[in-house]
Amino acid sequence: MPDIIHLLPDYLANQIAAGEVVQRPASVVKELLENAIDAKATNVQLIVKEAGKQLIQVVDNGIGMSETDARMCFERHATSKIKSTEDLFRIRTMGFRGEAMASIGAVAQVELKTKTHSADAGTKLIVEGSAVVTQEPVVTPSGTSIAVKNLFYNVPARRNFLKTNAVEMRHILDEFQRVALAYPEIAFSLYHNEVEVFNLPSAKLSQRIIGVFGNNYKEQMALCDEETPFLSVRGYIGKPEFAKKTRGEQFFFVNNRFIKSGYLNHAVMTAFEGLLPKESYPFYVLFIDIEPDRIDINVHPTKTEIKFDDEKTVYAIVHSAVRKSLGAHNIAPSLDFDGDVNFAPLQPIRIQNNEAGFEQERTTTAYSSGFSVPAPKRVSSAGWEQLYEPIRNQPTGEERISSSASINLLDDAFADNSPATSNKTLQVHQKYLLVQVKSGIMVIDQQAAQERILFEKYMASLQKKAVISQALLFPQTIDLSPTDAALVKELKAEFLELGFQFEDFGGNTIILNAIPADVQAANEKELLEELVEQYKNNMATLKLDRRENLARAMAKRLAGRLQTRMSELEMNSLVDKLFGCEVPNYTPSGQKTLVIMELSQLHDLFQRN
């Protein structure tokens, strides 16, 4: 039998490695910025064209490379960061595997210019598809300039998988932010299509945060600083009242390396427990400094996942540090045990109310703290019939719902259980509607039903492009994170078709001028943040086009705000609209909007034969 195992050619092995290291333009940006930091640069410039598809260039003033090093850096597993197995567990540099430059050179056209501070001339190297095309001396400033052109030019299948420029630019912004926050002592600048996006001078961490996210972060940052023999925690957390409905402004750095850790995020969220509004996420930038031999960063090619040798201790220290910071800034509630808690003597108060023909007399016992306990009420029955006059004059259920044509859209089997419109609809806990049907009782999830109704409404609006907006009396200025601002601007046409009207105010700020006519004008900033967060969640888990994704996001967020007590007219209207939908029994995400309890099931509950 002939031998069948053979060594792969270098160019093919490099392309396989590139599949792990270089997934998109943002991956190249991350690797080049980290190399500039390891080169001890104090000024780093990132230049991007066409969201990195045409050009990614990083220019730094670091130590530079010799002629031999410039050639060697494109070889696989060639690195200056580690020399032995022991070094692998004492890593302080950003890179260490020696794969980045070889992987980038395998799938792009790379031009490298570099010069050490002591050399008279530098070196220029051009690499295409792992092959060195030219190498020659060149006059260049001290430091290194790497230009990556036409990414995936020789792997068209990979290039076809790249997203739109707006999506790829958002990922580049994410990587740039993380590196810029981790090293505030280094000056960073970013240019996209020859337009300056960021210009961040060397500064303290607090100034760097403001430079990245905006001046409005001055008021919301609280210092977090905890020193222990095991590790230290430093950085800033956001005050609870400034929490947003969107994720993305939560940053953990371990030894200045950005990591993703749901475990540590849970430690922070539990520290904020009881202080945050529902479905809100606090801002934080936290740095954990720990001995390198207590962690393992050689877990994933992107190096965003690490392992601690004692996760529980790290969790406890982070949780304690955040709680301590909240308490030190008088954010967390505290009890004053030194105050006088003696109540004043109890004094009876007599209140008389005359309202709608009633004479109500009530005696309450008042405390100095402002609490009151009502005594039993004595209500006069005079004039009670007047209260029911408006109800007598209202149309009956049959008059309100004279047509059941919408219900006929269901199949025959389901139509047998269509609600009898003359029956009374009951609301339970402002969450569920109970409707009598032929075979038993129908229970409708109020929020799910509204989500289905709104989704079909917005999909129709997006398709017909017939929308009505209501102008805001006072336009709202909304500050977003860099990635959220890029996403909102990318979806401007779709937002316009839904009824939102806004204009770019520069940077990460927009001015909201109008909202859809059927949306209540209140908390517009919160609504926009909720829409963006829901859109990103859908984008991460589902393959949807922009319009359907935005319609789903809009329906879900608005339906969640409509948990209110409903009148009988509103309940019947909701049932009518639900059965007028194309798919009335499920939400867009597949959740049930209603269930039917058969009479036999009810009999079984009471053990009736």
Side-chain angles (χ1 to χ4, degrees), residues 437-550:
V437 293
K438 184 176 181 180
S439 63
I441 295 177
M442 180 184 293
V443 184
I444 297 176
D445 185 322
Q446 181 179 323
Q447 180 176 339
Q450 288 165 331
E451 184 179 343
R452 165 50 66 179
I453 294 166
L454 290 171
F455 170 72
E456 295 201 4
K457 173 185 176 183
Y458 290 129
M459 280 301 294
S461 176
L462 288 169
Q463 290 169 0
K464 297 177 181 177
K465 297 185 179 181
V467 67
I468 301 176
S469 301
Q470 56 174 328
L472 297 176
L473 184 60
F474 300 103
Q476 297 288 316
T477 301
I478 300 177
D479 295 309
L480 301 166
S481 67
T483 52
D484 286 349
L487 178 60
V488 170
K489 293 171 186 176
E490 177 191 352
L491 297 173
K492 185 172 183 178
E494 286 76 14
F495 272 112
L496 185 63
E497 291 172 0
L498 281 176
F500 291 93
Q501 295 179 14
F502 62 85
E503 54 187 290
D504 189 359
F505 194 60
N508 304 318
T509 305
I510 63 170
I511 297 179
L512 186 63
N513 296 315
I515 60 176
D518 57 347
V519 175
Q520 185 177 0
N523 299 324
E524 292 83 8
K525 180 177 184 295
E526 185 176 303
L527 172 61
L528 197 62
E529 289 176 350
E530 289 176 350
L531 285 180
V532 171
E533 179 65 16
Q534 188 61 47
Y535 184 92
K536 291 191 294 185
N537 290 344
N538 293 344
M539 190 166 55
T541 57
L542 302 168
K543 300 298 182 183
L544 305 171
D545 62 42
R546 288 184 179 181
R547 290 184 174 183
E548 183 177 351
N549 191 342
L550 197 57

Side-chain angles (χ1 to χ4, degrees), residues 241-252:
E241 60 267 28
F242 294 97
K244 292 186 175 182
K245 295 293 183 180
T246 58
R247 297 181 181 92
E249 295 183 357
Q250 294 80 36
F251 299 88
F252 264 117

Side-chain angles (χ1 to χ4, degrees), residues 74-108:
F74 287 98
E75 299 295 328
R76 287 193 70 198
H77 307 305
T79 179
S80 62
K81 316 298 173 60
I82 60 175
K83 296 180 181 179
S84 65
T85 305
E86 290 74 19
D87 292 341
L88 193 59
F89 297 97
R90 295 195 299 261
I91 293 172
R92 287 286 185 182
T93 55
M94 300 299 289
F96 58 89
R97 288 198 177 98
E99 288 183 321
M101 294 305 299
S103 298
I104 294 170
V107 293

